[in-house]
Amino acid sequence: MSFILNIETATKNCSVSIAKNGETILCKEIAEEGYSHAEKLHVFIEEAIAESGVSVQDLDAIAVSQGPGSYTGLRIGVSAAKGLCFALNIPLIAVDTLKTLASQAKVSDGKIIPMLDARRMEVYSEIFNADLEVERAIQAEIITEDSFKDFSEKLYFVGDCAEKCKPVLTKSNFVFLEEIKYPSAKDMSKISYDKYQKSDTVDVAYFEPYYLKDFMMTLPSKK
């Protein structure tokens, strides 16, 4: 029997779950425009542990979303996960954010393309088959009317980019699952458990989130 605490903070959704043998037993999350991760994450962790009846000493590993996604959100999640792993002397598992998002699409055919907003018409994307096997690695790309034009099978798009991408990606085989918007810790459970069973962990001291692009700070304009 194994218990894993999953942490997902790569997007506006601040999410924490407790999983037993790959099954989510409790999830705490909130998606807010203002990114309340710094205020909510540790509260959610404490509440999830208390409400699940699983003590911190019962935890076998911590899993954290590795990105891509929000620079600040990823830093907050990874810092919390590292702190817990150091304190409890348990392994850290890194989970592909886009795979967590793609796993919400329960389809039997075609390809699943999770996309996260990277501002303007740029997105972070990856391509999976219906069995959640990677068919094209993560990349940052500009979406145009020619994007994905070489695919003839059904493409299922998930993520927070539907509003800006749907008017551009209009081929008949393109399907937007608009109800699937953000990755959630509840959908990390099976992925993190599979990694735990394979001892697929990362070095707690040296692990860094996968930002994909360098952080750019916007300075206020001079008056």
Side-chain angles (χ1 to χ4, degrees):
M1 183 183 300
S2 65
F3 291 100
I4 297 176
L5 172 69
N6 298 290
I7 297 173
E8 167 53 68
T9 57
T11 67
K12 294 174 183 176
N13 192 31
C14 180
S15 182
V16 173
S17 74
I18 302 285
K20 176 183 176 181
N21 295 340
E23 296 291 332
T24 300
I25 58 177
L26 189 142
C27 181
K28 309 283 291 188
E29 62 186 348
I30 187 170
E32 294 182 323
E33 290 296 324
Y35 281 90
S36 58
H37 302 38
E39 296 80 19
K40 297 290 176 61
L41 179 59
H42 288 282
V43 174
F44 283 174
I45 291 172
E46 291 175 3
E47 290 178 348
I49 290 171
E51 294 175 22
S52 68
V54 177
S55 73
V56 290
Q57 287 73 29
D58 293 327
L59 295 175
D60 295 285
I62 308 293
V64 67
S65 180
Q66 70 178 16
S70 158
Y71 181 93
T72 302
L74 288 169
R75 294 298 298 177
I76 291 170
V78 169
S79 295
K82 282 186 171 187
L84 286 166
C85 287
F86 273 123
L88 299 171
N89 193 28
I90 56 178
L92 176 64
I93 298 167
V95 175
D96 176 355
T97 303
L98 291 174
K99 184 172 184 178
T100 299
L101 180 58
S103 70
Q104 297 180 55
K106 309 301 183 186
V107 299
S108 58
D109 63 342
K111 312 293 183 192
I112 305 168
I113 304 182
M115 298 192 299
L116 291 178
D117 194 4
R119 298 186 180 178
R120 299 185 178 87
M121 287 307 292
E122 190 171 18
V123 303
Y124 302 130
S125 67
E126 194 168 6
I127 300 178
F128 296 86
N129 62 25
D131 295 320
L132 279 186
E133 296 168 334
V134 177
E135 298 220 342
R136 196 211 67 195
I138 300 169
Q139 65 182 46
E141 61 183 314
I142 305 294
I143 297 299
T144 71
E145 60 185 12
D146 291 327
S147 298
F148 313 111
K149 67 177 183 180
D150 295 329
F151 289 90
S152 58
E153 63 266 67
K154 273 192 177 180
L155 300 185
Y156 298 93
F157 295 96
V158 296
D160 61 359
C161 301
E163 185 176 350
K164 74 178 185 181
C165 292
K166 196 173 181 180
V168 179
L169 301 176
T170 58
K171 285 184 64 180
S172 60
N173 59 314
F174 293 171
V175 179
F176 282 85
L177 304 178
E178 296 182 57
E179 70 278 8
I180 303 174
K181 198 168 184 180
Y182 301 120
S184 170
K186 68 178 180 292
D187 300 301
M188 292 173 65
S189 298
K190 184 180 184 306
I191 300 170
S192 60
Y193 181 61
D194 288 345
K195 281 177 164 273
Y196 175 74
Q197 288 186 303
K198 298 172 184 174
S199 297
D200 185 358
T201 61
V202 295
D203 189 302
V204 177
Y206 296 104
F207 172 71
E208 289 291 329
Y210 182 44
Y211 299 117
L212 198 58
K213 294 198 304 181
D214 292 333
F215 174 69
M216 296 183 65
M217 182 173 67
T218 302
L219 298 175
S221 59
K222 294 181 179 179
K223 293 184 178 179

